[in-house]
Amino acid sequence: MTEVSGKQKADRKVKKARYESPLPKDKSSKLKPVTASNLKGKEKAKEVDGASSQSSQQSILPTSFKVIAGSYEKLLYGLEGTASSSESGYEFHLKPIFIFPAHVSHIKAVAASPGGKWLATGSADEIVKVWDLARRKEIGGLMHHEGSITYLEFPSRSHLLSASEDGTLCLFHARDWVVLRTFKGHKGRVNSVAVHPSGKIALSVGQDRMLRMWDLMRGKGSASIKLGKEGEIVRWSLRGVFFVVQYHSSLEIFSTDMVLRHTLSHASRIHSVRFCRWTDNGGELMLVAAEDKKVSVYRFLEDPEKPPSIIAEMVGHSNRVKAVEALEVAVPEPETKTKNARKSTTIVCTISSDGNIFVYDLAALHHGTTELVQLRPVAEYDTKGTRLTCLTVTENRSKEETDDRDAKIGKRKRVEDQEDSGEEVQGKGEEEEEEEEE
């Protein structure tokens, strides 16, 4: 394993942005609405370009996928998911591609970069490990945190965001793995982080019962509000028009102007929340995994004043569902040719304390359904009693598929890397470094 030494840590500080006080001292500080008017001209243009690029990416879907799960037993499981044609349409299959102990303590967080090149794993051993998924090789260990890793996410292919029990968030550059930003403000453990679809801001909740907003572009906090209770999960919707904060068995839905719109009381303690696109009508669904051994599927109506309702349940697990993830994939044509054959679907993967990894197909959930639908797994893998803790799902593309995808989308990798790498941060003068130390 390639570890980051103390000397490298010292060198890395030169490349870190100047730290500014993340929060105003005024306790009445409120979060600002996330609107296009908050962005400058260049940023607006970049966001519009990013939105069109995202739309293009959705039209080029992977034909297979990878499921990676961590466990209390320190084991990391990697599965390959594929779809094959059948008389009735298509069917899914899961097969293991790797199983090994990845850390010296239990694994608490996993994340894969868009496109599936990088995998990051975080543990109670305070280390974030980076892996090359295609080569199945460890790249190194990031030891910037001084507490257990609680959350990991790749906001883009060129950045990794981590959170820890030490109360900090770190933004790494996914090329040389230096720390571009360190965000300080939480007093105690950071439980969850959510990056806005624009990639410019993030929300976090923690043990201090605060909701904090971070400016990822400037490397500092924007504002904070008191929640009054400890938020365990925060998630943006797919379009970034609202977000959800979870506490124990309840969910609070906020609009972008930070107004509480709805409060939902779930049947049991919640462990995971994810949003996904409903393939049939393009709407958004919220997946809620809980102690009741199932995943509840909430549908959001066009009228934001109306609360979401449960339209389906994913059943099959015999113990609590610990995590849920979703991914849109392409499916093969059926053996029997049909006129309106489905070309894509959204798969949902779940892990449970019963040791099972399930895959569900949202194609079974039809638009206009009025009765509660029960969805059963279309593929599964049994880890034989392993206590699974965290999950990520990503594309499984060959190098040829990736190159073809990038060519069709028209991505300029070199330009993107220069824009996103934070090279302007590396070019800061000594004057700002001295101010940081003061």
Side-chain angles (χ1 to χ4, degrees):
M1 181 183 75
T2 307
E3 297 186 350
V4 181
S5 67
K7 183 178 183 302
Q8 288 174 310
K9 281 187 177 182
D11 293 340
R12 194 167 53 194
K13 290 182 179 179
V14 178
K15 299 182 179 182
K16 190 172 65 174
R18 182 181 61 177
Y19 174 74
E20 297 181 22
S21 179
L23 299 171
K25 294 184 179 179
D26 182 5
K27 293 183 179 179
S28 63
S29 168
K30 299 294 181 183
L31 297 175
K32 295 180 181 179
V34 182
T35 62
S37 61
N38 292 354
L39 303 176
K40 294 182 180 179
K42 278 188 178 180
E43 292 180 349
K44 281 185 184 177
K46 190 174 178 182
E47 186 174 41
V48 171
D49 291 342
S52 62
S53 174
Q54 245 181 2
S55 175
S56 300
Q57 289 182 47
Q58 288 177 355
S59 64
I60 307 170
L61 299 174
T63 55
S64 62
F65 56 95
K66 286 179 181 175
V67 181
I68 296 96
S71 67
Y72 278 111
E73 288 79 6
K74 314 166 193 175
L75 294 173
L76 188 67
Y77 287 82
L79 310 177
E80 182 180 55
T82 55
S84 61
S85 299
S86 65
E87 291 184 1
S88 58
Y90 57 88
E91 55 188 28
F92 286 98
H93 311 275
L94 286 177
K95 69 173 183 179
I97 52 178
F98 60 78
I99 305 170
F100 64 93
H103 288 263
V104 297
S105 188
H106 62 273
I107 303 171
K108 302 188 70 172
V110 291
S113 64
K117 178 177 176 59
W118 304 115
L119 173 70
T121 59
S123 167
D125 60 15
E126 306 180 0
I127 299 174
V128 177
K129 287 190 177 182
V130 181
W131 314 80
D132 185 321
L133 260 183
R135 294 188 295 166
R136 303 178 196 174
K137 180 180 178 182
E138 182 181 344
I139 301 301
L142 308 174
M143 296 179 286
H144 189 75
H145 287 291
E146 296 179 354
S148 297
I149 310 303
T150 56
Y151 187 82
L152 292 169
E153 180 180 351
F154 282 90
S156 69
R157 292 194 297 178
S158 55
H159 291 92
L160 168 65
L161 186 64
S162 64
S164 168
E165 288 186 356
D166 63 11
T168 67
L169 290 77
C170 289
L171 186 65
F172 298 91
H173 181 216
R175 177 187 286 173
D176 47 16
W177 303 105
V178 299
V179 179
L180 298 176
R181 306 278 192 265
T182 298
F183 302 91
K184 298 180 181 179
H186 279 289
K187 297 178 181 178
R189 179 182 63 244
V190 180
N191 291 329
S192 179
V193 183
V195 178
H196 189 265
S198 68
K200 292 174 173 56
I201 62 167
L203 299 174
S204 63
V205 292
Q207 194 175 24
D208 57 4
R209 302 185 175 188
M210 300 291 288
L211 170 67
R212 298 185 182 275
M213 178 182 283
W214 308 95
D215 186 333
L216 298 180
M217 307 301 288
R218 297 182 179 181
K220 63 180 182 178
S222 299
S224 67
I225 58 173
K226 290 182 178 179
L227 295 174
K229 44 192 171 181
E230 183 176 346
E232 297 174 346
I233 296 172
V234 60
R235 294 282 183 268
W236 282 104
S237 65
L238 295 181
R239 293 179 295 166
V241 296
F242 63 89
F243 65 90
V244 173
V245 179
Q246 174 262 328
Y247 325 83
H248 199 267
S249 59
S250 65
L251 294 161
E252 290 186 349
I253 302 172
F254 294 83
S255 58
T256 54
D257 54 4
M258 305 304 163
V259 174
L260 177 61
R261 296 296 183 183
H262 306 289
T263 300
L264 307 177
S265 295
H266 201 68
S268 61
R269 178 176 177 79
I270 298 169
H271 293 290
S272 183
V273 178
R274 283 292 173 190
F275 286 91
C276 71
R277 195 171 76 89
W278 194 356
T279 313
D280 277 10
N281 68 353
E284 287 192 40
L285 299 175
M286 180 172 68
L287 311 173
V288 179
E291 194 79 18
D292 57 6
K293 308 173 187 177
K294 57 190 176 185
V295 175
S296 299
V297 182
Y298 285 82
R299 177 180 61 185
F300 284 85
L301 304 175
E302 292 183 3
D303 185 355
E305 297 301 320
K306 294 183 179 180
S309 57
I310 297 177
I311 60 170
E313 294 177 339
M314 298 180 181
V315 299
H317 284 295
S318 60
N319 206 330
R320 68 179 70 88
V321 183
K322 292 288 290 181
V324 59
E325 294 286 345
L327 182 70
E328 196 170 347
V329 297
V331 294
E333 294 184 0
E335 293 178 354
T336 305
K337 301 294 183 181
T338 56
K339 186 176 181 180
N340 297 315
R342 178 179 290 275
K343 295 182 178 180
S344 67
T345 188
T346 299
I347 57 159
V348 176
C349 296
T350 61
I351 58 169
S352 168
S353 295
D354 62 13
N356 286 313
I357 301 173
F358 286 168
V359 174
Y360 298 85
D361 186 0
L362 282 183
L365 185 60
H366 302 291
H367 182 56
T369 301
T370 55
E371 296 182 357
L372 186 69
V373 178
Q374 282 201 334
L375 302 178
R376 297 197 172 274
V378 294
E380 58 185 86
Y381 177 79
D382 188 359
T383 65
K384 308 298 182 184
T386 302
R387 293 171 296 171
L388 301 172
T389 57
C390 48
L391 171 72
T392 189
V393 182
T394 187
E395 305 168 6
N396 181 31
R397 298 182 188 269
S398 65
K399 186 180 184 300
E400 290 73 19
E401 286 178 317
T402 301
D403 292 343
D404 182 56
R405 170 178 176 268
D406 289 343
K408 288 180 180 178
I409 294 173
K411 286 194 173 182
R412 299 188 301 271
K413 289 185 181 180
R414 191 171 302 173
V415 174
E416 182 187 72
D417 286 345
Q418 288 175 353
E419 289 177 349
D420 295 341
S421 65
E423 288 181 3
E424 73 282 1
V425 177
Q426 298 180 19
K428 296 287 183 183
E430 294 180 3
E431 184 178 337
E432 288 192 0
E433 285 300 319
E434 289 173 3
E435 288 180 23
E436 180 186 357
E437 291 175 3
E438 289 174 6

